[in-house]
Amino acid sequence: MIYKRSSELFASAQKVIPGGVNSPVRAFKAVGGDPIFIKKAEGPYLYDEDGNKLIDYINSWGPLILGHAHKPVIDAVIAIAKKGTSFGTPTEIETKIAELAVKMVPNIDKIRMVNSGTEATMSAVRLARGFTGKEKIIKFAGCYHGHSDSFLIQAGSGAVTFGTPNSPGVTQGTAKDTLLAKYNDLDNVKKLVEANKGEISCIILEPVAGNMGCIPPNEGFLEGLRKICDETGILIIFDEVMTGFRLAPGGVQERMGVNADIVCFGKVIGGGLPVGAFAARNEIMDYLAPIGPVYQAGTLSGNPLAMAAGLAMLKELDSNREIFESIDKKTAYLHERMEKVLLQNNIDFSINRVGSMISVHFGKEPVTDFASAAESANLGTFNKFFHGMLENGVYIAPSAFETWFISDALSYDDLDKTIEAVDKVSKTL
Ligand SMILES: *Cc1c(COP(=O)(O)O)cnc(C)c1O
């Protein structure tokens, strides 16, 4: 494939945009080469500036679970845009999407809309701190919760030592309140809770991790965390920005039957427009301004365009619940057949999957937390695989630490083409 125009556009972009991109992982830095500039997309396909057509397994990093330019979503946005894009007043559609979200997701009474997943998790943690009156939080290594300061933290040597920031610009003062735990390690969490007794406001996690590849919670892990929180008054926050409205209509809470205290959303809930949200039962949500003391606001929060896209998306999912089964089946199909061709070609690999989240790791050992994900990352092999797939018309995330985001727009013919590409590429690894 030729990427002449993409490379020219990237050269221009780099002069006026840091690294040529508005979000770092788009830049292909991890895999090498220039990023591809997309001109348009429809259903499961991307069309780039050089006229190449790609089968898309990123789907805007998760939001487009029904594929690109899904007609009901596009129609809703066009119709509402003609009436004005933002009023800074309440609008009926905000109540409509809130009612639908509260109906679809278990265990929540109220929901507040924001503009990104980052804002959702940041606000959820402030709310948890305000509600409990405690300052520390526990997060897990390898879980991504957006780019706000409290989350850009790595632990020092021991698990109970204060964290040190892993981005310049995050202060020590902020870092010391974030305690880092190991995913799927309940004992580790118990020790942290014990060592910081009475000081922890919340535990935040991706209940199915998707930002170190896909990592399912071990049997009993979520239940164990729930129990710790029930015993200590710590709140548990499920960051369902990736899993919400994807793994089930009610997300991981529904799929795995464990209740969270606060749930964060993003990605699918905006139907491809900038939306995030956080939700909880009344007791917690009523702690928010204007009725409660915890401040949180947004000039464009709940704006009509974003709400129209989100509402159209949620309506599609709510009234066609077989979509969730269909997309899981497609992903299982891909899983089984990729496994077969990788085995046939003697590749060391492990595939993790929960529903329509799937990731291929190029190591033999099981991937269960950040350390094992890093060990199995095998970046050289992944990079070859990534570029090989691209050459064969398949666009997966340019990072060994991302899940593939399956959309229901993919046909079995697209999946077969993808499996053929995996077969072809794995012969070159
Ligand atoms: C994408 C993501 C975020 C951040 O959302 P943005 O909209 O990019 O700010 C937070 N948490 C999880 C689990 C995510 O996957």
Side-chain angles (χ1 to χ4, degrees):
M1 284 198 197
I2 291 168
Y3 301 111
K4 187 168 173 291
R5 189 163 156 73
S6 273
S7 291
E8 287 165 6
L9 290 170
F10 187 50
S12 307
Q14 282 171 290
K15 290 182 190 147
V16 285
I17 302 171
V21 292
N22 280 313
S23 194
V25 74
R26 295 178 196 166
F28 279 26
K29 240 185 124 180
V31 290
D34 289 348
I36 297 164
F37 278 59
I38 300 302
K39 193 167 191 172
K40 62 169 190 176
E42 202 175 359
Y45 308 120
L46 295 170
Y47 299 87
D48 74 12
E49 291 281 356
D50 290 284
N52 302 305
K53 176 182 171 184
L54 301 162
I55 304 176
D56 187 15
Y57 284 92
I58 306 182
N59 286 292
S60 189
W61 304 86
L64 305 175
I65 193 169
L66 301 178
H68 292 276
H70 188 66
K71 194 167 183 306
V73 175
I74 301 299
D75 288 349
V77 172
I78 291 172
I80 208 154
K82 290 182 176 160
K83 300 181 192 166
T85 55
S86 182
F87 314 118
T89 67
T91 53
E92 185 181 7
I93 193 169
E94 293 165 85
T95 307
K96 288 254 155 60
I97 189 172
E99 284 170 350
L100 185 51
V102 166
K103 182 192 117 182
M104 290 174 80
V105 178
N107 193 37
I108 62 170
D109 297 317
K110 292 196 176 93
I111 184 164
R112 169 72 54 92
M113 293 292 162
V114 293
N115 305 289
S116 68
T118 294
E119 262 189 80
T121 53
M122 177 187 87
S123 308
V125 164
R126 183 182 308 136
L127 179 57
R129 283 174 164 155
F131 185 77
T132 59
K134 313 271 163 74
E135 296 196 347
K136 288 183 183 170
I137 67 170
I138 291 181
K139 83 170 281 282
F140 293 88
C143 280
Y144 180 66
H145 303 297
H147 65 90
S148 84
D149 285 2
S150 306
F151 302 123
L152 293 178
I153 308 294
Q154 259 171 4
S157 46
V160 291
T161 57
F162 288 145
T164 52
N166 66 353
S167 168
V170 177
T171 66
Q172 289 292 342
T174 298
K176 78 171 171 39
D177 288 328
T178 300
L179 307 166
L180 205 72
K182 286 192 199 119
Y183 202 77
N184 276 329
D185 187 342
L186 267 184
D187 282 340
N188 179 237
V189 176
K190 281 182 192 152
K191 276 183 200 143
L192 277 178
V193 169
E194 190 55 37
N196 296 273
K197 221 177 191 155
E199 295 183 84
I200 300 171
S201 59
C202 62
I203 297 176
I204 183 167
L205 81 160
E206 294 178 69
V208 170
N211 285 289
M212 42 184 165
C214 171
I215 298 187
N218 285 345
E219 178 104 33
F221 181 58
L222 297 179
E223 291 83 355
L225 293 175
R226 179 69 266 176
K227 186 158 172 277
I228 292 172
C229 289
D230 285 340
E231 289 166 359
T232 54
I234 295 171
L235 298 183
I236 186 161
I237 303 178
F238 278 9
D239 178 352
E240 297 223 41
V241 170
M242 192 184 290
T243 54
F245 306 103
R246 170 172 287 278
L247 292 185
V252 175
Q253 286 196 97
E254 175 184 336
R255 190 173 180 117
M256 307 212 162
V258 180
N259 285 348
D261 294 307
I262 306 178
V263 194
C264 302
F265 298 103
K267 300 193 168 120
V268 175
I269 199 175
L273 267 79
V275 182
F278 58 106
R281 56 185 186 269
N282 283 326
E283 176 198 12
I284 298 175
M285 289 310 272
D286 290 348
Y287 237 73
L288 272 181
I291 47 177
V294 173
Y295 194 69
Q296 186 280 326
T299 300
L300 291 174
S301 289
N303 78 82
L305 256 61
M307 295 300 97
L311 181 59
M313 176 65 93
L314 296 197
K315 271 186 179 165
E316 286 281 284
L317 296 174
D318 182 50
S319 52
N320 304 288
R321 293 199 170 206
E322 64 281 1
I323 287 170
F324 292 94
E325 222 171 283
S326 157
I327 195 172
D328 279 18
K329 264 197 202 148
K330 285 177 185 176
T331 316
Y333 180 93
L334 187 68
H335 184 172
E336 275 164 35
R337 282 156 182 82
M338 281 205 293
E339 202 161 73
K340 209 167 127 203
V341 298
L342 289 168
L343 275 173
Q344 278 167 358
N345 290 309
N346 291 316
I347 305 291
D348 286 345
F349 73 97
S350 69
I351 297 179
N352 282 355
R353 180 175 74 85
V354 178
S356 62
M357 287 163 61
I358 183 169
S359 59
V360 183
H361 305 258
F362 291 101
K364 258 195 264 192
E365 300 306 317
V367 172
T368 59
D369 60 7
F370 185 64
S372 50
E375 243 162 63
S376 280
N378 225 324
L379 296 178
T381 308
F382 178 81
N383 293 353
K384 261 193 181 165
F385 180 72
F386 170 81
H387 283 290
M389 292 298 283
L390 202 54
E391 203 49 38
N392 284 282
V394 180
Y395 191 56
I396 61 170
S399 160
F401 296 99
E402 291 287 347
T403 88
W404 302 28
F405 300 96
I406 308 298
S407 88
D408 199 45
L410 288 162
S411 66
Y412 282 90
D413 186 48
D414 296 320
L415 297 173
D416 286 336
K417 283 191 180 125
T418 305
I419 293 149
E420 269 169 47
V422 171
D423 188 24
K424 214 165 135 190
V425 174
S426 50
K427 289 186 165 67
T428 69
L429 296 178

